[in-house]
């Protein structure tokens, strides 16, 4: 384990920091969560409507067209509601995430400006840019895709268990056995993936640092060659 990895803060500390950055925009996240809840509710209502159509119309062969058209129209309305609120919650989460990342990058920029000059002798500009841009971009992806996906999956699981409990509570209790297995799998995946993710992050920062140093060296060489050409030309003219 490297020194940098050993000094990494705990997950709870990182979670508290992320929550602190989200608090100034909590109303936007609450609205996005409500939109997501409406979208999931409409999505879960579609199979329920399909069950009603099968039980009341298809199986008994009672094709009362006004009733059937009303049920199908209601299914289409749920599809439209689900699609519309899914789009709105995605836009809302994305907008909120960009506001959070804007605050984080401003704080990082102000923090970097307060660094002593000796810090820039030890830390390359490429690594510094990688930490400010790539890491905050990962935070943006977390707010835009990861968090909504977790919330969406959790709400779906809750809705499915509620539907199973309505049908048969014993079947619901039997299905609860899958929850510890799911949580254990998620924990094992996190334990395995975190070192890999940290290694990729470190390698990306090293690559950016090497590229920055190479470009700076090429710029210095080009400036030196131009100065030499100008000096030779000046000497020939004089």
């Amino acid at each position: 384990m490297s020194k940098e990895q050993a000094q990494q803060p705990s997950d709870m500390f990182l979670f508290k920091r992320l929550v602190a950055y989200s608090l100034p925009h909590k109303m936007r996240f609450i609205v996005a969560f409500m939109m997501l809840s409406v979208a999931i509710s409409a999505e879960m209502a579609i199979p329920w409507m399909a069950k009603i159509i099968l039980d009341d119309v298809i199986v008994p062969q009672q094709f009362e067209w006004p009733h059937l058209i009303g049920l199908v129209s209601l299914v289409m309305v749920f599809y439209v509601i689900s699609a519309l609120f899914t789009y709105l919650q995605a836009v809302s989460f994305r907008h909120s995430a960009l506001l959070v990342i804007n605050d984080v990058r401003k704080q990082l920029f102000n923090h970097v400006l307060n660094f002593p000059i000796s810090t820039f002798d030890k830390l390359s500009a490429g690594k510094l840019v990688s930490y400010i841009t790539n890491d905050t971009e990962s935070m943006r992806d977390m707010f835009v895709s990861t968090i909504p996906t977790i919330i969406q999956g959790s709400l779906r699981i809750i809705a499915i268990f509620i539907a199973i409990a309505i049908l048969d509570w014993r079947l619901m209790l039997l299905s609860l056995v899958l929850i510890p297995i799911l949580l254990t799998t998620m924990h094992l995946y996190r334990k395995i993936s975190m070192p890999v993710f940290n290694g990729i992050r470190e390698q990306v920062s090293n690559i950016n640092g090497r590229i920055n140093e190479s470009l700076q060296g090429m710029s210095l060489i080009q400036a030196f060659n131009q100065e030499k050409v100008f000096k030779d030309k000046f000497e020939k003219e004089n």
Side-chain angles (χ1 to χ4, degrees), residues 66-233:
H67 180 58
L68 179 60
I69 292 174
L71 293 176
V72 173
S73 300
L74 194 56
V75 170
M76 297 302 298
V77 169
F78 282 130
Y79 268 116
V80 172
I81 292 175
S82 176
L84 177 61
F85 279 90
T86 299
Y87 172 76
L88 291 176
Q89 66 85 20
V91 173
S92 182
F93 270 117
R94 185 176 297 273
H95 188 201
S96 303
L98 291 177
L99 292 175
V100 172
I101 299 305
N102 182 55
D103 296 340
V104 172
R105 286 181 174 173
K106 284 182 178 179
Q107 184 175 343
L108 279 175
F109 184 73
N110 294 329
H111 182 64
V112 170
L113 291 180
N114 294 323
F115 279 172
I117 300 299
S118 59
T119 304
F120 298 98
D121 296 332
K122 302 175 183 178
L123 184 62
S124 64
K127 283 190 175 183
L128 191 60
V129 172
S130 176
Y131 292 151
I132 294 176
T133 57
N134 294 343
D135 293 352
T136 53
E137 193 68 17
S138 300
M139 288 182 58
R140 185 190 69 83
D141 293 337
M142 182 194 68
F143 280 106
V144 171
S145 59
T146 305
I147 292 179
T149 301
I150 293 174
I151 296 175
Q152 188 174 7
S154 301
L155 290 177
R156 277 190 181 137
I157 291 175
I158 293 173
I160 289 172
F161 275 108
I162 291 175
I164 294 175
I166 293 174
L167 294 175
D168 190 345
W169 64 271
R170 292 167 295 182
L171 181 60
M172 187 268 291
L173 293 178
L174 183 62
S175 302
L176 287 176
V177 179
L178 299 175
I179 298 298
I181 299 175
L182 179 62
L183 295 178
T184 303
T185 304
M186 292 172 59
H187 179 70
L188 291 177
Y189 173 77
R190 175 188 167 279
K191 296 285 288 186
I192 295 173
S193 62
M194 282 302 295
V196 177
F197 175 78
N198 291 331
I200 293 174
R201 173 176 168 270
E202 183 66 23
Q203 290 299 322
V204 169
S205 65
N206 291 333
I207 291 172
N208 290 335
R210 292 289 183 88
I211 292 175
N212 179 73
E213 292 173 358
S214 300
L215 292 176
Q216 286 182 350
M218 292 173 62
S219 300
L220 291 175
I221 294 174
Q222 186 178 7
F224 176 78
N225 292 333
Q226 290 178 353
E227 183 181 358
K228 184 177 180 182
V229 170
F230 179 78
K231 183 178 180 181
D232 293 340
K233 183 178 179 181

